[in-house]
Amino acid sequence: VQLVEAGGGLVQAGGARRLSCSHAGRTFYSMGWCREAPGEGREFVARMSARGGSRHYAHSVEGRFTIYRDNGKNTVYLQMNSLKPEDTANYYCAASTSYYSDLEQQYDYWGRGTQVTVSS
């Protein structure tokens, strides 16, 4: 199973960016986005259940980021608004076949990541 992220790039503080994760039609129990900044561990910023009924966000992004899916396109998105320099990180899409969790080890598939850089 391949997860392919897209949408990263350079954006000014206060701007917006939308990341996408295509998953070739496979159905998962949950999907999420996490990020990793240089010298820091991975942080799950958003996750949603398979049917979209449950969504959770890290406190650091709540109110600014939105995770949603387009089943017709087999794609999960992360809309990021009001970006801050501290949002700079490599963003990864992840999928779990069994859990709805913010624990890395409970995700079975990972994308390669897409870099988001927010300039001040």
Side-chain angles (χ1 to χ4, degrees), residues 3-5 21 23 28-34 42 44 46-48 67 76 91-97 99 101 103-113:
L3 305 179
V4 180
E5 302 102 334
C21 173
H23 54 89
F28 300 103
Y29 190 84
S30 66
M31 295 190 72
W33 287 92
C34 71
R42 285 189 180 181
F44 259 95
R47 52 190 169 99
M48 66 184 299
I67 184 172
V76 173
Y91 284 73
Y92 297 89
C93 176
S96 176
T97 57
Y99 298 97
S101 169
L103 299 176
E104 286 185 55
Q105 59 266 34
Q106 292 182 341
Y107 283 79
D108 305 287
Y109 303 102
W110 293 82
R112 293 190 173 185

Side-chain angles (χ1 to χ4, degrees), residues 1-94:
V1 176
Q2 193 173 16
L3 305 179
V4 180
E5 302 102 334
L10 178 64
V11 59
Q12 288 189 333
R17 200 82 181 180
R18 188 180 75 166
L19 305 182
S20 64
C21 173
S22 62
H23 54 89
R26 171 78 182 265
T27 300
F28 300 103
Y29 190 84
S30 66
M31 295 190 72
W33 287 92
C34 71
R35 66 186 181 187
E36 186 172 15
E40 299 183 18
R42 285 189 180 181
E43 173 193 26
F44 259 95
V45 296
R47 52 190 169 99
M48 66 184 299
S49 58
R51 298 183 179 182
S54 296
R55 302 182 193 190
H56 284 82
Y57 300 92
H59 290 306
S60 56
V61 307
E62 200 159 15
R64 301 187 297 122
F65 289 14
T66 302
I67 184 172
Y68 64 99
R69 66 197 305 151
D70 183 335
N71 289 332
K73 295 183 178 180
N74 298 322
T75 301
V76 173
Y77 298 94
L78 184 68
Q79 177 67 44
M80 307 184 294
N81 297 330
S82 303
L83 282 162
K84 306 174 182 180
E86 51 264 43
D87 294 319
T88 295
N90 205 7
Y91 284 73
Y92 297 89
C93 176

